[in-house]
Amino acid sequence: MDPAYLALTGQESCLAALRHVVQSGGFGHALLFASYDDVATDAVASWCTARIVCTAKLSDPCGSCAGCTSVKRQDGLMLLQTTLGERPTYAVDDIRAIRSHLALRAGQSGRRVVRIDNVDRCTVAAANALLKILEEPSMDVTFILTTASSARVLPTIRSRTMLYRLQPVPRTTMERSLAASGVPTSIISTVIAVAPGQLGTAAALVASPDALASAQSADATAEKLVAQTTTGRFRTLATYLEGKQEAGVQRQQVRSLFAAFARRAATDQWVQQRLGRLLTGLIDLQSNSQPRLLLEAFVT
């Protein structure tokens, strides 16, 4: 089972819109994909990248032309992909490197793509530097930007993009797609419970028992915290975070727990009352803030 393939099957309406704008040549110089389903966002952004550089006149990337081959090889001149890795934010030097890259041609022809994942994690200086590039677009370059939420992206950057919000996948569609991929019914119910509307993430959880166990643990902890007193919450948090001293590991645990709270926002009044804190915590989690302190501030 390929999680990326399943993620695409859940986003047919978005792909149909992209096929239309690419074929008409009206896609502009920057596209922004927004979704909390990281797997789906990556799959759609990758599909769009291949379709833009593909030289065949087909509705989907052909996979064999010079453009598609360059994407498969991750040809630096045709495709520049910028990711954070373990870093919390993009620095202004990251954007300057993109500008230097765009100055290179080396006799290449065809459209080029610059992809920036989690563009909302730019520092102020980096966001302003990116804005300057988007204000003076090169005619042969398309920027593909991704984010979990478009609200976190600098408004002036967002206004210079074509925004595509990936839609939650209906439960029946998720059940049918996962079952068709050979996933047992009992596991289907489990993964949908921790990743509602996120077909790509659900498929990835099926493929990773450890990730599924982590998501289930976060969901169970969130359920406990909602019903407990302040004293009980601190005991529960201490147990949940016990032994996870590395900032990167703890940050991932807290991110999973925040995601579990977000899923409960529509049904739990206690979470609804803290939506402002939840959004602040999610944003601060992208910086060097201590994850445990952010979580404790949310639950108290």
Side-chain angles (χ1 to χ4, degrees):
M1 179 182 60
D2 182 0
Y5 175 79
L6 280 185
L8 286 180
T9 64
Q11 299 298 330
E12 288 87 350
S13 60
C14 181
L15 294 182
L18 288 170
R19 288 187 183 99
H20 175 73
V21 297
V22 173
Q23 288 174 338
S24 66
F27 51 87
H29 66 280
L31 299 96
L32 175 61
F33 296 108
S35 172
Y36 283 99
D37 188 339
D38 293 339
V39 178
T41 305
D42 178 68
V44 171
S46 297
W47 180 93
C48 189
T49 297
R51 182 60 191 84
I52 287 173
V53 301
C54 181
T55 57
K57 305 297 183 180
L58 303 173
S59 60
D60 291 314
C62 72
S64 59
C65 70
C68 289
T69 302
S70 71
V71 170
K72 291 178 181 178
R73 294 198 313 258
Q74 295 188 328
D75 186 335
L77 288 175
M78 298 301 292
L79 169 64
L80 176 65
Q81 184 167 348
T82 304
T83 58
L84 283 168
E86 297 300 321
R87 297 178 298 158
T89 57
Y90 291 113
V92 67
D93 285 344
D94 293 308
I95 310 304
R96 288 172 180 162
I98 292 174
R99 183 180 288 276
S100 298
H101 166 82
L102 294 178
L104 302 174
R105 286 301 296 173
Q108 291 285 335
S109 61
R111 195 159 195 89
R112 296 181 293 167
V113 173
V114 174
R115 177 173 163 179
I116 305 177
D117 293 326
N118 302 113
V119 69
D120 53 287
R121 298 193 194 180
C122 285
T123 63
V124 174
N128 288 331
L130 176 59
L131 178 61
K132 289 181 180 179
I133 298 178
L134 296 178
E135 288 175 336
E136 303 172 355
S138 299
M139 296 302 294
D140 65 338
V141 175
T142 296
F143 278 81
I144 291 184
L145 315 175
T146 73
T147 180
S149 171
S150 60
R152 302 183 199 171
V153 180
L154 191 70
T156 46
I157 289 179
R158 192 169 65 239
S159 67
R160 286 165 175 78
T161 69
M162 294 179 67
L163 173 60
Y164 291 87
R165 291 188 178 92
L166 276 59
Q167 298 302 308
V169 180
R171 182 183 181 92
T172 53
T173 302
M174 292 184 67
E175 290 174 339
R176 185 170 59 251
S177 297
L178 291 169
S181 299
V183 180
T185 303
S186 58
I187 305 241
I188 290 176
S189 300
T190 299
V191 296
I192 290 179
V194 297
Q198 303 174 45
L199 181 54
T201 296
L205 289 174
V206 171
S208 175
D210 288 343
L212 177 58
S214 177
Q216 288 179 287
S217 174
D219 208 52
T221 300
E223 184 177 12
K224 288 182 183 178
L225 290 168
V226 167
Q228 288 179 326
T229 64
T230 300
T231 302
R233 290 182 191 126
F234 274 98
R235 292 197 190 101
T236 299
L237 287 180
T239 301
Y240 180 71
L241 298 173
E242 184 178 5
K244 300 177 177 66
Q245 301 302 319
E246 290 186 18
V249 174
Q250 196 173 81
R251 192 176 302 277
Q252 184 56 49
Q253 289 296 114
V254 174
R255 185 177 290 111
S256 296
L257 192 49
F258 274 146
F261 281 126
R263 290 192 291 270
R264 294 176 174 275
T267 56
D268 290 319
Q269 184 177 4
W270 183 82
V271 180
Q272 289 178 5
Q273 293 171 346
R274 288 163 172 76
L275 285 179
R277 295 189 200 175
L278 178 59
L279 180 59
T280 299
L282 286 168
I283 294 173
D284 289 344
L285 196 58
Q286 299 168 2
S287 68
N288 287 319
S289 302
Q290 293 187 24
R292 184 177 190 131
L293 295 180
L294 295 177
L295 184 54
E296 290 178 351
F298 172 78
V299 301
T300 55

